[in-house]
Amino acid sequence: ETGVTQTPRHLVMGMTNKKSLKCEQHLGHNAMYWYKQSAKKPLELMFVYSLEERVENNSVPSRFSPECPNSSHLFLHLHTLQPEDSALYLCASSQERNNEFGKFFGPGTRLTVL
Amino acid sequence: QKEVEQNSGPLSVPEGAIASLNCTYSDRGSQSFFWYRQYSGKSPELIMFIYSNGDKEDGRFTAQLNKASQYVSLLIRDSQPSDSATYLCAVNMGTSYDKVIFGPGTSLSVIP
């Protein structure tokens, strides 16, 4: 296990459900990220938080809502998702937003939307 | 043109051989470059980063960067079956902000 943890590891939800993904980093990093990894597609950056402030939102649908209450915790709130949202959702952190030393990823949450 | 491209796989090499993984990128102003390894069913793991032209060695891994030609490569010497994974190239195309673009990955299989 890395210094970035994610819960739950697996999630199955219906299109009308509301759920949240949680990420916690124990590395003292200042930046946190949400990525989506779908089969046969490159990693897609969804959100970037730097010092608890959202600095980037890559045209993500509003059914995904991030929250960063402090520099160690990051949430992704999900509601009225679509089956095409089924994917591996990865949280990552880096020392600084300019990412000079790369990112450390959590184990991911495998999401299935029925 | 795709922003970050990697040689299509899967790439198969015999155990003990050198595996060569290539990556090209479109933004000439890119400053930092990363290689991640992702085992099946696991999350990406950072193995190398490089900023300057030339070679950077870390154990059996060597990253090579040529900014003029806009490519970065990863060499794995003495390949082991445990090196079998997908290797992701990532390029930071930002200077004052984070714009890291990942390539699609190259699947490597090391045959015992």
Side-chain angles (χ1 to χ4, degrees):
Chain A
E1 202 73 283
T2 66
V4 181
T5 58
Q6 290 185 244
T7 55
R9 297 291 299 274
H10 301 271
L11 178 62
V12 178
M13 58 187 290
M15 289 192 285
T16 58
N17 292 158
K18 290 184 180 181
K19 296 287 184 182
S20 295
L21 310 184
K22 179 183 176 182
C23 174
E24 184 173 359
Q25 59 98 358
H26 313 274
L27 301 168
H29 288 169
N30 290 324
M32 297 185 75
Y33 312 79
W34 280 116
Y35 280 89
K36 176 183 179 182
Q37 188 173 38
S38 304
K40 309 295 184 184
K41 296 176 71 175
L43 279 168
E44 302 172 57
L45 179 64
M46 300 175 72
F47 300 104
V48 181
Y49 275 83
S50 177
L51 296 172
E52 303 155 41
E53 176 187 353
R54 188 193 308 181
V55 295
E56 189 159 339
N57 174 348
N58 264 9
S59 302
V60 179
S62 60
R63 57 185 183 268
F64 295 91
S65 175
E67 178 189 1
C68 187
N70 56 61
S71 60
S72 298
H73 293 86
L74 186 64
F75 294 89
L76 188 63
H77 304 298
L78 316 171
H79 65 97
T80 60
L81 294 190
Q82 304 299 310
E84 59 265 29
D85 296 322
S86 298
L88 180 67
Y89 288 84
L90 292 161
C91 174
S93 71
S94 64
Q95 190 167 4
E96 299 293 343
R97 189 178 141 203
N98 63 9
N99 195 44
E100 286 304 308
F101 301 105
K103 293 189 174 80
F104 293 85
F105 285 85
T109 295
R110 174 69 63 184
L111 173 67
T112 302
V113 181
L114 301 177
Chain B
Q1 180 186 4
K2 294 181 181 177
E3 293 182 283
V4 179
E5 298 191 59
Q6 296 185 240
N7 48 333
S8 59
L11 176 66
S12 292
V13 300
E15 184 175 356
I18 295 176
S20 177
L21 304 162
N22 299 318
C23 174
T24 59
Y25 57 95
S26 60
D27 187 337
R28 187 171 290 276
S30 299
Q31 297 294 318
S32 48
F33 308 85
F34 308 86
W35 282 100
Y36 290 83
R37 177 176 60 200
Q38 187 171 24
Y39 291 113
S40 180
K42 301 292 186 181
S43 59
E45 171 193 10
L46 178 69
I47 54 174
M48 291 280 287
F49 58 85
I50 186 168
Y51 310 130
S52 304
N53 278 326
D55 295 359
K56 179 182 179 181
E57 189 174 316
D58 184 1
R60 296 186 296 112
F61 298 98
T62 299
Q64 298 176 319
L65 175 60
N66 184 324
K67 290 185 179 180
S69 300
Q70 294 175 241
Y71 84 78
V72 56
S73 62
L74 180 70
L75 301 179
I76 307 175
R77 291 183 302 281
D78 188 24
S79 296
Q80 301 296 310
S82 59
D83 295 325
S84 299
T86 296
Y87 289 81
L88 306 175
C89 171
V91 179
N92 190 353
M93 299 188 179
T95 50
S96 61
Y97 60 92
D98 180 6
K99 189 185 177 188
V100 173
I101 307 297
F102 281 80
T106 299
S107 176
L108 171 67
S109 179
V110 180
I111 311 301

